[in-house]
Amino acid sequence: MANPALAHALAHALTAAAHGFRVIPLTRAKLPAVRSPHHHDPAPLPCHGECGRLGHGVHDASADPEAIRALFAAAPWATGYGIACGCPPHHLIGVDLDLTSGRAGDPQGAGGASGTDGRVGKPGTSDLGKPGTSDLGKPRANGARMPGTSDPARPGTRRTTCRKDRTDGLAALARLAREHAFAIPRTVTVLTPSGGRHLWLCGPPGLTVPNSAGRLAPGIDIRGLGGYLVGPGSYGSRGSYRLAPGSPAWAPAPAPPALLRLLTPPPPPRAYRPGPPSPEPRPAALAGLVRFVRASRQGQRNDRLFWAACRAYETGAGPELAPALIEAALDTGLPPREARATVASAARHLQPPETWA
C-alpha cells in the first residue's frame, strides 16, 4: 500500500473488530474516509446505506473482516479508524475528556470522538482527578518572566495577557463522580494527541445514550449511538492516538448506574389529567413501601427507592413518608445525597404542570 499509515490503521481496525467492535476508516481530520455516494445528488435524500453503496459514515461500520478491508480499499488515504458507539455486543459509550491550558490562543484539546471537532493544541496532561500545573508565572532560566504575568516581588503588578477559562475534562469528571457518588472505573483509556483522553464504557442493552458536547460539564463530550471514537493506533493531523499506560486493551468497564442516569435524558413528563381523588392510603401500605426500600440490594437501591417514592406521592402521602423512605435507603447503604435526590426526583416527576395548579 502506498500510504504506510493505511496498513497500520487497517491492522488495528481488524484487531478491534476481532474483539467485537464495529469500525470505519477515518481521514487525518478524523472524518469518515469513504466519500458519500450521494454528494453529487442535487437533493440527496437521507440514506443510511439502504442504497447498497459505501460512504455513509458510521452507518458503514462493520466487524466483518472482509467488509472492513473493502472499506479501507475504497479509502486508500485513510490514516485511522473509528469505532462505532452504541452497537452490540459492547454498547460502547465514549467519554471524551478535553484539556486546555487556558492561555489565549491555545486551541481546544482534540477530542476526536465524533471526528468533527478538529480541535488541536498542546495542553499539558494530568492524571485523572489531578489537573496538570501551568507554567504561567514561573521565572525563566534567565530570570525573565512569561509575558503578561505578575511578578510576586513587585506588588501591584498584574497579568495583561488575555486569557480564557481553563477547561479540564478530567477534573470535571472527578467532580461529577464526587457529587453523584459513583466511582470512575478502571477501563480502556485512549490518549489523544493534544493531551485529552477517551474513556470507553459499556452501556446496558436497550438503553440509548445520546451524543452531547459539554452538556455534563465543560470539557466532557459524550459519544453514544450514532457517534464514534477514534481508535488507538490511528494517526490524526496532530499525532497519534494510543492506549494509556496500564490501560486494559479491549475490555471496557460497565458504566456506573449513577453516571448512566446523567447521560440519558429524563423521560417526558406524563400528561396530567385530574381524576377522582385517591383513597386515603392505609398505614399498612405505607409501611410496606418502607419495607420494600429497606429490602433493596446493591444495584437496585435507587430504582426501588424511586418507585416507592412515586407510589407515596401518587397517594398524597409523599411529604409525610419521604423521611422514612430516605432513612430506609440509608440503611441499605445508599449515600444520603443520592437518596434525597432520588426522592426529590420522584416528587418532581409526579408534580402537575403549573397551569393545573
Side-chain angles (χ1 to χ4, degrees):
M1 298 178 181
N3 172 12
L6 180 64
H8 184 83
L10 175 58
H12 280 81
L14 290 172
T15 300
H19 288 85
F21 296 97
R22 303 182 190 183
V23 300
I24 55 171
L26 299 180
T27 67
R28 290 172 62 85
K30 304 177 293 180
L31 298 174
V34 181
R35 193 173 188 181
S36 169
H38 308 292
H39 65 277
H40 285 313
D41 295 355
L45 298 174
C47 180
H48 294 163
E50 295 85 358
C51 66
R53 293 175 288 176
L54 300 178
H56 297 86
V58 73
H59 302 289
D60 288 341
S62 175
D64 177 68
E66 291 306 313
I68 295 169
R69 290 189 177 93
L71 284 166
F72 276 81
W77 46 84
T79 63
Y81 66 102
I83 298 180
C85 296
C87 302
H90 300 285
H91 304 280
L92 185 64
I93 300 168
V95 182
D96 178 353
L97 304 175
D98 286 339
L99 186 65
T100 64
S101 67
R103 281 178 283 188
D106 279 357
Q108 294 285 338
S114 69
T116 57
D117 52 19
R119 291 170 289 186
V120 297
K122 290 182 63 180
T125 60
S126 66
D127 292 331
L128 191 60
K130 298 179 181 178
T133 59
S134 168
D135 287 334
L136 287 177
K138 294 182 180 178
R140 295 179 177 179
N142 61 3
R145 306 194 67 80
M146 296 289 288
T149 60
S150 58
D151 187 345
R154 295 176 60 194
T157 62
R158 62 179 181 178
R159 291 182 177 91
T160 58
T161 301
C162 178
R163 297 173 58 90
K164 64 179 180 179
D165 291 340
R166 186 175 191 271
T167 300
D168 190 339
L170 302 169
L173 181 61
R175 186 164 54 251
L176 282 175
R178 291 192 301 269
E179 292 174 353
H180 295 273
F182 66 86
I184 301 172
R186 180 177 180 269
T187 190
V188 180
T189 303
V190 177
L191 303 181
T192 71
S194 61
R197 58 184 64 192
H198 300 162
L199 306 186
W200 296 16
L201 299 171
C202 284
L207 179 68
T208 299
V209 173
N211 296 285
S212 63
R215 185 181 68 83
L216 285 186
I220 302 180
D221 298 344
I222 301 299
R223 306 302 175 208
L225 186 64
Y228 59 89
L229 292 168
V230 180
S234 296
Y235 290 104
S237 58
R238 292 288 172 169
S240 63
Y241 291 75
R242 66 193 189 281
L243 283 174
S247 166
W250 301 106
L259 177 59
L260 284 175
R261 286 191 291 273
L262 295 175
L263 298 181
T264 51
R270 299 189 307 176
Y272 180 76
R273 296 183 179 87
S278 302
E280 189 72 19
R282 297 180 180 179
L286 299 180
L289 293 176
V290 175
R291 289 195 301 271
F292 177 79
V293 172
R294 187 168 279 117
S296 305
R297 297 180 179 179
Q298 189 170 1
Q300 57 180 208
R301 296 174 298 191
N302 195 291
D303 291 339
R304 288 170 73 103
L305 174 60
F306 183 79
W307 184 90
C310 284
R311 303 294 80 76
Y313 278 99
E314 282 176 347
T315 63
E320 171 192 346
L321 197 62
L325 292 175
I326 292 173
E327 183 179 354
L330 298 181
D331 290 344
T332 68
L334 199 65
R337 178 180 295 180
E338 188 171 353
R340 290 192 294 270
T342 299
V343 172
S345 178
R348 290 192 301 270
H349 183 69
L350 294 172
Q351 185 177 9
E354 292 181 0
T355 53
W356 289 102

